[in-house]
Amino acid sequence: TLSTALAANGGLKAALRFCFAVPAGWSLLMLACGLGLGVAVMTAPLLRGVVQLLGVGYMLWLAWKLWNARTLAQADGRRLDVGFVQGMALQFVNIKAWMLALALTAGWVVSQQGGQPATNPGERLAIVLAVMAVYAFTSNFTYALVGSLLRQWLSHGSRLLVFNRAMAAVLAATAAWMLSV
């Protein structure tokens, strides 16, 4: 959603920082989970709640910014900018990213078929990091490409307002879902 909205409002170039930030941030998160931080976060209810609330708050703030962007001129400035550092940090407050990293760590990195401990967890972690970094970039870039292709069409009439509000609603719905996880 963010990749599409950033590219639709600011162009593909503006969304590229975010497209590169997601795999970088997620790779750091996966590495941290592989080294044991994920277990600490998920087993400490207070810490898990803080991650969840920060993620929900940030997504709602971004949704509010999108909801209020009515023209490309408003969006082209720093108003909708989500830079590299913000994109990376977003992964650390995204409970879905934590759950995926933990599932991969527990289900494949440290154990093998039959529940036996993996004999090569470092190698498995490196494979997961490489595969998921490519996947994260490719999927975010594809969504950004769609957004950039819609940019000219969205510049007519109230199309951008409707698009931004739809994207904001999707972000808000995702935030609400994150609260239920």
Side-chain angles (χ1 to χ4, degrees), residues 7 12 15 18 24 39 41 43-44 47 60 74 83 87 91 102-103 110-111 115 120-121 123 137 155 169-170 176:
L12 186 58
F18 184 75
V39 173
V41 168
T43 58
L47 192 52
L60 290 174
Q74 285 179 312
Q91 303 313 300
L102 286 171
V110 297
S111 64
N120 56 348
E123 187 178 310
F137 176 78
S155 67
V170 170

Side-chain angles (χ1 to χ4, degrees), residues 10-37:
L12 186 58
K13 186 176 177 183
L16 278 178
R17 284 187 312 258
F18 184 75
C19 291
F20 282 110
V22 170
W26 196 87
S27 294
L28 287 176
L29 176 65
M30 182 66 203
L31 186 59
C33 285
L35 296 174
L37 179 63

Side-chain angles (χ1 to χ4, degrees), residues 91-118:
Q91 303 313 300
F92 285 87
V93 294
N94 182 346
I95 199 67
K96 297 177 303 181
W98 279 99
M99 292 171 73
L100 177 59
L102 286 171
L104 286 169
T105 299
W108 196 75
V109 171
V110 297
S111 64
Q112 54 191 28
Q113 191 173 10
Q116 299 298 317

Side-chain angles (χ1 to χ4, degrees), residues 1-13 15-16 19 72 137-155 160 163-164 167:
T1 304
L2 281 175
S3 297
T4 305
L6 288 169
N9 284 278
L12 186 58
K13 186 176 177 183
L16 278 178
C19 291
L72 288 174
F137 176 78
T138 303
S139 62
N140 276 280
F141 182 76
T142 301
Y143 285 116
L145 189 58
V146 168
S148 70
L149 292 173
L150 290 172
R151 185 171 164 77
Q152 186 173 358
W153 181 79
L154 291 171
S155 67
L160 182 68
F163 174 82
N164 281 344
M167 293 291 102

